[in-house]
């Protein structure tokens, strides 16, 4: 039995690809590095992270990209003995423009080294590459119209100006032939996320509509000709929860069709699981999978007979979900960052961390402030549960208040909480709290614990946080204390979410738990972390 979401935590815009008996899903990573997550499964139930392919400066450099920019909506496919990955690097979010540059990379193996990128176009985001039966390849993406009041956080339908189609020549590695706008979308509007497939003489086009909030939907259309005209699905939308506010899986939309070797059919989609009372999705947009059926009218439908996605869906061959550990203990032995962790924007991680200067430790090199769009030393893993505990231990000897290191619950520069070790003029070395409760656009911090609590002048400091749905409590202790000490009041963990602060459509990533350091004096003070634990509560 498939249990949705199959990829919990921040894993949006799922593109699915089957090669033999192997299934792969690529999801967006936005400003987190390396770019694009690819998970693998053989039963559609259990999924394992196998690669983040955009891992070199020549492939992806997001320094300076604003929050919620970077890698949007990848498309993964397989043809001609190669895996093909199409992706967007978005350079602007606010105002009328997006500056969305689209690229293609390839690899003969999913977990190997991927090629240098080939630039394709910049007319809009959410690109997709379709390999037709006759060997021709077609590139589709939404077209962005800047001539409307389509400001970030409040999308307007006229900005989403249809789906463009153009042939792509793999020999010249260029787009060729006419550009055609093949689909304007449904009355719901905000058409994006196009994927093409061919079946029984028709070209089927699935798109995302309604924006990636609570009106999101998967819309389906078909045509005998690849360039249209396209007729709409009888229900207009294949998958949506927009009219069912009580459904467990909300914000359902943006996905892709896949067939099993024996002809069973499924469709991925992103979703969100809002927490009451404010309906904030603290886990971001997650990936789900729905069982579908073809009916006599030649259209695809959810097997459950509705358009509303299910939490439990039949899998393959009676597969069951493998039991996952409640607690994951990460060490930094072996000189390699654990696979669950990422960092922000920079393709030069040696500037912000290493695991070699002090073997067995993650050394963070203090650079720019928490929330910098260029070079901040923040290493973190996704929040995958509504309630969890994270803890770590740090060795850090600040000699100015401009040097800070600690533990953070992080979304972006205006949505985070952090327990930090720093220096205070009167307390000396101390532990306190930095918090930004969604103050957009200014990003002003508050200090819920004031100046904090004095620490011994030397020695390791343990930091932890417990998130229980919408509440967050920080704790600390030094070795030998024997008990965790709470610090500060309970904080609003729910603001560290898609809907927090700026609100729906204002940001599109997810909450992370991790460690960070900065040194705004410019002296690159280092902080050493021995371990990091994450535990579902």
């Amino acid at each position: 039995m498939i249990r949705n979401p199959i990829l919990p935590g921040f894993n949006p815009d799922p593109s699915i690809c089957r090669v033999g008996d192997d299934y792969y899903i690529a999801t967006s990573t936005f400003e987190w590095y390396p770019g694009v997550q690819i998970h693998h499964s053989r039963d559609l139930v259990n999924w394992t992270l196998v690669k983040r392919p955009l891992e070199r400066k020549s492939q992806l450099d997001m320094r300076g990209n604003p929050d919620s920019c970077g890698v949007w909506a990848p498309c993964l496919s397989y043809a001609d003995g190669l895996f093909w990955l199409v992706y967007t690097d978005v350079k602007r979010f606010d105002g009328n423009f997006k500056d969305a540059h689209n690229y293609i990379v390839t690899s003969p193996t999913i977990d190997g080294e991927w090629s240098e990128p080939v630039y394709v176009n910049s007319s809009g985001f959410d690109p997709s590459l379709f390999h037709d039966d006759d060997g021709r390849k077609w590139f589709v993406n939404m077209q962005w119209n800047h001539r409307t009041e389509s400001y970030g956080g409040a999308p307007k339908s006229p900005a989403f100006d249809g789906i463009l189609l153009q042939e792509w020549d793999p020999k010249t590695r260029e787009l060729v032939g006419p550009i055609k706008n093949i689909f304007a979308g449904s009355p719901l509007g905000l058409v994006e996320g196009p994927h093409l497939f061919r079946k029984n003489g028709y070209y089927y086009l699935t798109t995302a509509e309604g924006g990636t909030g609570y009106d999101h939907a998967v819309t389906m259309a078909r045509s005998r000709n690849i360039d249209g005209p396209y007729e709409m699905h009888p229900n207009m939308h294949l998958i949506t929860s927009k009219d069912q506010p009580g459904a467990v899986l909300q914000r359902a939309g943006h996905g892709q069709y896949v067939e099993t070797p024996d002809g069973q059919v499924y469709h991925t989609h992103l979703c969100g699981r809002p927490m009451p009372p404010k309906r904030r999705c603290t886990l971001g947009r997650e990936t789900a999978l729905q069982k579908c059926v073809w009916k006599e009218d030649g259209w695809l439908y959810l097997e459950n007979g509705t358009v509303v996605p299910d939490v439990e869906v039949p899998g393959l061959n009676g597969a069951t979900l493998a039991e996952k550990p409640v607690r994951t203990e990460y060490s930094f032995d072996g000189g390699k960052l654990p696979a669950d962790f990422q960092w922000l924007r920079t393709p030069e991680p040696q500037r912000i961390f290493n695991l070699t200067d002090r073997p067995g430790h993650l050394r963070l090199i203090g650079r720019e402030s928490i929330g910098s769009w260029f070079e901040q030393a923040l290493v973190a893993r996704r929040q995958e549960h509504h309630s969890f505990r994270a803890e770590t231990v740090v060795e850090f000897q600040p000699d100015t208040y401009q040097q800070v290191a600690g533990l953070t619950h992080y979304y972006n520069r205006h949505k985070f909480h952090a327990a930090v070790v720093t220096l205070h003029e009167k307390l000396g070395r101390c532990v306190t709290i930095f918090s930004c409760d969604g103050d957009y656009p200014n990003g002003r911090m508050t200090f819920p614990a004031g100046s904090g609590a004095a620490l011994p002048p030397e020695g390791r400091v343990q930091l932890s946080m417990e998130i229980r749905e919408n509440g967050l409590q920080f704790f600390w202790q030094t070795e030998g204390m024997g008990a965790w000490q709470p610090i500060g009041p309970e904080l609003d963990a729910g603001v560290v979410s898609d809907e927090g602060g700026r609100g729906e459509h204002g940001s599109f990533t997810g909450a992370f738990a991790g460690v960070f350091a900065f040194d705004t004096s410019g002296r690159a003070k280092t902080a050493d972390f021995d371990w990091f634990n994450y535990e579902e509560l």
Side-chain angles (χ1 to χ4, degrees):
M1 184 69 72
I2 294 169
R3 177 78 180 180
N4 284 313
I6 54 173
L7 303 180
F10 163 47
N11 276 290
D13 311 324
S15 171
I16 191 166
C17 167
R18 178 179 67 84
V19 182
D21 293 326
D22 294 291
Y23 299 86
Y24 302 96
I25 289 179
T27 55
S28 302
T29 43
F30 290 78
E31 65 262 38
W32 291 89
Y33 210 95
V36 180
Q37 295 216 121
I38 300 178
H39 285 80
H40 168 257
S41 177
R42 302 203 78 185
D43 58 16
L44 299 179
V45 176
N46 298 284
W47 295 84
T48 302
L49 179 66
V50 292
K51 187 67 177 179
R52 294 192 185 102
L54 306 179
E55 56 188 351
R56 303 191 302 276
K57 181 179 179 180
S58 59
Q59 295 171 321
L60 184 65
D61 187 346
M62 298 183 290
R63 286 174 291 193
N65 284 19
D67 293 326
S68 288
C69 288
V71 177
W72 288 17
C75 172
L76 182 66
S77 59
Y78 184 83
D80 310 323
L82 292 172
F83 288 95
W84 302 73
L85 182 69
V86 187
Y87 65 98
T88 308
D89 180 10
V90 180
K91 296 297 185 183
R92 180 172 174 177
F93 184 63
D94 285 336
N96 288 60
F97 298 96
K98 288 292 178 281
D99 294 323
H101 309 306
N102 297 320
Y103 303 90
I104 296 174
V105 292
T106 60
S107 176
T109 60
I110 201 77
D111 57 353
E113 184 173 293
W114 288 65
S115 71
E116 290 299 290
V118 175
Y119 171 76
V120 183
N121 67 15
S122 299
S123 54
F125 47 84
D126 293 3
S128 179
L129 186 66
F130 170 62
H131 310 271
D132 207 346
D133 296 343
D134 61 2
R136 299 172 77 181
K137 301 184 187 299
W138 298 90
F139 197 85
V140 289
N141 60 268
M142 66 80 66
Q143 178 171 230
W144 182 259
N145 185 346
H146 62 269
R147 302 172 302 170
T148 68
E149 295 181 359
S150 296
Y151 300 108
K156 307 290 184 182
S157 290
F160 292 71
D161 196 18
I163 302 301
L164 300 185
L165 171 79
Q166 191 175 13
E167 188 172 0
W168 192 77
D169 186 340
K171 294 181 180 178
T172 64
R173 304 201 299 179
E174 293 179 339
L175 292 170
V176 296
I179 304 170
K180 295 185 177 182
N181 195 322
I182 61 171
F183 186 63
S186 79
L188 182 60
L190 304 171
V191 63
E192 55 185 337
H195 289 290
L196 282 164
F197 67 96
R198 191 171 185 177
K199 188 175 180 66
N200 297 331
Y202 281 100
Y203 292 94
Y204 289 87
L205 175 66
T206 58
T207 64
E209 290 195 296
T212 197
Y214 289 93
D215 287 333
H216 210 22
V218 173
T219 300
M220 178 169 276
R222 72 180 182 185
S223 173
R224 292 288 186 183
N225 302 305
I226 194 167
D227 56 356
Y230 280 81
E231 61 174 317
M232 202 76 68
H233 191 287
N235 293 337
M236 193 174 298
H237 309 302
L238 175 66
I239 305 170
T240 185
S241 301
K242 66 184 182 66
D243 300 316
Q244 295 291 328
V248 174
L249 304 179
Q250 290 292 313
R251 306 173 64 184
H254 198 133
Q256 190 174 17
Y257 172 86
V258 70
E259 288 189 11
T260 68
D262 62 358
Q264 299 183 68
V265 290
Y266 290 84
H267 206 288
T268 63
H269 64 94
L270 67 78
C271 64
R273 292 179 288 167
M275 292 294 298
K278 296 184 178 181
R279 298 194 87 203
R280 297 180 297 191
C281 294
T282 56
L283 302 183
R285 298 174 303 154
E286 307 172 285
T287 285
L289 185 63
Q290 301 298 320
K291 184 76 179 291
C292 298
V293 293
W294 288 102
K295 292 190 176 180
E296 292 181 358
D297 61 359
W299 286 103
L300 191 68
Y301 296 85
L302 292 188
E303 189 181 57
N304 66 20
T306 76
V307 296
V308 182
D310 283 333
V311 173
E312 292 192 346
V313 177
L316 300 181
N317 303 319
T320 58
L321 185 64
E323 187 174 341
K324 297 182 179 179
V326 172
R327 179 181 174 90
T328 305
E329 298 183 352
Y330 301 97
S331 71
F332 299 112
D333 300 326
K336 187 176 182 180
L337 192 68
D340 288 341
F341 288 81
Q342 288 179 272
W343 60 94
L344 287 161
R345 294 182 175 85
T346 179
E348 297 179 349
Q350 69 276 9
R351 290 267 305 162
I352 60 172
F353 74 86
N354 68 66
L355 296 101
T356 55
D357 285 356
R358 188 177 176 191
H361 293 74
L362 171 63
R363 171 162 287 181
L364 297 187
I365 305 165
R367 299 293 183 185
E368 294 173 338
S369 60
I370 187 169
S372 167
W373 287 347
F374 291 87
E375 195 172 52
Q376 65 163 307
L378 190 155
V379 176
R381 56 148 291 165
R382 284 158 176 73
Q383 177 183 343
E384 295 183 8
H385 306 89
H386 287 119
S387 296
F388 74 96
R389 176 182 173 88
E391 54 191 27
T392 191
V393 62
V394 60
E395 293 182 58
F396 185 57
Q397 296 297 132
D399 52 51
T400 170
Y401 62 82
Q402 292 182 312
Q403 297 169 344
V404 175
L407 174 71
T408 185
H409 188 218
Y410 186 87
Y411 189 104
N412 60 24
R413 64 163 55 184
H414 66 279
K415 293 188 283 193
F416 67 85
H417 303 295
V420 307
V421 176
T422 187
L423 194 75
H424 186 268
E425 296 89 333
K426 295 181 179 179
L427 296 176
R429 197 173 70 136
C430 65
V431 57
T432 189
I433 295 174
F434 291 175
S435 183
C436 190
D437 267 324
D439 181 40
Y440 178 85
N442 295 312
R444 295 185 186 93
M445 287 201 310
T446 61
F447 305 91
S451 299
L455 293 170
E458 297 181 349
R460 291 160 40 120
V461 181
Q462 294 185 22
L463 302 170
S464 68
M465 59 183 175
E466 289 186 0
I467 284 80
R468 298 183 185 272
E469 298 182 346
N470 290 305
L472 181 155
Q473 181 66 58
F474 282 115
F475 301 87
W476 69 279
Q477 67 173 346
T478 57
E479 293 184 330
M481 287 180 63
W484 289 99
Q485 303 296 314
I487 183 169
E490 183 176 89
L491 304 174
D492 182 7
V495 78
V496 184
S497 66
D498 288 357
E499 297 85 356
R502 191 175 182 180
E504 185 181 357
H505 296 122
S507 48
F508 313 113
T509 56
F512 282 71
V515 295
F516 75 102
F518 65 78
D519 185 352
T520 55
S521 76
R523 287 178 281 153
K525 189 73 171 182
T526 61
D528 292 339
F529 294 85
D530 193 358
W531 44 260
F532 185 93
N533 298 331
Y534 177 96
E535 181 178 4
E536 179 186 1
L537 296 177

